[in-house]
Amino acid sequence: MKRIKLVSIWNPKGGQGKSMLSINLAAAAVELGLKPIVICQDQQGTSMLYYKGGNLPFEVLEQIPQKRPDADIIFFDHQASDWKVPDNHLLVMPLKPARDQYATYIDAFKRANSEHAIITVVTDGQAHRADEKVTIEYLKGKGAFCIPSSGVFSRAAGEYRTIFDNALNKAYKVGERRREISQILGAVL
C-alpha cells in the first residue's frame, strides 16, 4: 500500500494565503503527475468555492474521508483562529509580511517548531514597502519562500482557478509565480 504524504497549510491568522497555497500546491502536484486531494477545514470554505467552480483538476473534500483515499498527497487547508498545532509532521506556514501578521506567525511558529518540519512562505510580499522588505529579507535568510504580490492570483481567484490553469497561460508573470509554487512543492516532497 502506497504511503500518502500529509501536509498541513496552517497559520492561526486569517488572510495569510492558506487556501491559495493549498489549491495551487495541489495544482502543481497534478503537473508532476501526482494525485492530490485538498481537505478544506476552513469554515469560510474558500477551497470548496474553487472546487464548486468546476475548474480544478483535483478533488476538494469538506472532511477527512472515512476510507483511505486514492491519493499521493493530501493538503489540509486549516481554518483561521485554530491555534491547535496540526498533528501532521509537515507544516506549510504562510504569512503576510506586515508587522502585525508577522507577530502572529512568530507565536504559532514557536508552538509548532519543536515537533514539526516547517516550510515558511511569505505571501503577498511588497518589497517596495520598507517594513515588509525587512521581514521578507530576514525570513528569506532563514530559508523561507517568497511569493510576491501578483495580479495573477487575483485573476485566478476571480475565476475560481489555480494559476496553473491553461486559461491563465498568458497572464502577466504567471511563469514566475508557477515556478515559485513548484519550488515550494519541491520542498514539500
Side-chain angles (χ1 to χ4, degrees), residues 45-118:
T46 305
S47 292
M48 283 305 299
L49 285 173
Y50 277 74
Y51 185 62
K52 290 175 183 175
N55 296 317
L56 300 183
F58 52 85
E59 194 172 12
V60 177
L61 306 174
E62 292 180 289
Q63 59 189 353
I64 298 170
Q66 296 295 318
K67 292 173 50 179
R68 182 183 177 87
D70 178 25
D72 299 304
I73 187 166
I74 298 175
F75 296 98
F76 293 89
D77 179 8
H78 287 267
Q79 72 178 21
S81 302
D82 181 4
W83 279 93
K84 182 184 178 297
V85 179
D87 294 331
N88 300 331
H89 175 69
L90 180 58
L91 304 180
V92 175
M93 291 185 68
L95 76 141
K96 291 188 177 180
R99 188 176 201 161
D100 59 338
Q101 316 287 318
Y102 180 59
T104 302
Y105 161 83
I106 292 291
D107 290 344
F109 183 88
K110 287 177 183 175
R111 289 175 188 230
N113 192 28
S114 63
E115 299 177 16
H116 293 82
I118 299 172

Side-chain angles (χ1 to χ4, degrees), residues 5-179:
K5 183 120 185 147
L6 304 175
V7 183
S8 285
I9 315 296
W10 177 74
N11 182 336
K13 184 84 170 152
Q16 303 303 296
K18 292 181 289 289
S19 297
M20 179 274 296
L21 274 175
S22 296
I23 64 163
N24 282 292
L25 286 169
V30 169
E31 294 289 310
L32 291 178
L34 299 173
K35 186 169 183 182
I37 291 176
V38 172
I39 298 180
C40 183
Q41 297 183 310
D42 185 359
Q43 293 175 346
Q44 294 179 31
T46 305
S47 292
M48 283 305 299
L49 285 173
Y50 277 74
Y51 185 62
K52 290 175 183 175
N55 296 317
L56 300 183
F58 52 85
E59 194 172 12
V60 177
L61 306 174
E62 292 180 289
Q63 59 189 353
I64 298 170
Q66 296 295 318
K67 292 173 50 179
R68 182 183 177 87
D70 178 25
D72 299 304
I73 187 166
I74 298 175
F75 296 98
F76 293 89
D77 179 8
H78 287 267
Q79 72 178 21
S81 302
D82 181 4
W83 279 93
K84 182 184 178 297
V85 179
D87 294 331
N88 300 331
H89 175 69
L90 180 58
L91 304 180
V92 175
M93 291 185 68
L95 76 141
K96 291 188 177 180
R99 188 176 201 161
D100 59 338
Q101 316 287 318
Y102 180 59
T104 302
Y105 161 83
I106 292 291
D107 290 344
F109 183 88
K110 287 177 183 175
R111 289 175 188 230
N113 192 28
S114 63
E115 299 177 16
H116 293 82
I118 299 172
I119 296 171
T120 299
V121 181
V122 180
T123 61
D124 203 22
Q126 299 187 37
H128 65 276
R129 294 182 177 163
D131 59 330
E132 290 189 16
K133 183 177 182 176
V134 170
T135 302
I136 292 167
E137 293 305 318
Y138 173 76
L139 289 170
K140 283 172 72 175
K142 296 280 188 183
F145 291 92
C146 182
I147 301 174
S149 182
S150 178
V152 72
F153 291 108
S154 297
R155 183 168 166 201
E159 300 174 13
Y160 293 130
R161 300 179 185 280
T162 74
I163 66 166
F164 289 87
D165 192 300
N166 288 335
L168 297 177
N169 282 350
K170 294 183 180 181
Y172 181 68
K173 293 197 175 185
V174 70
E176 290 177 40
R177 302 296 84 87
R178 287 173 175 170
R179 276 190 297 283

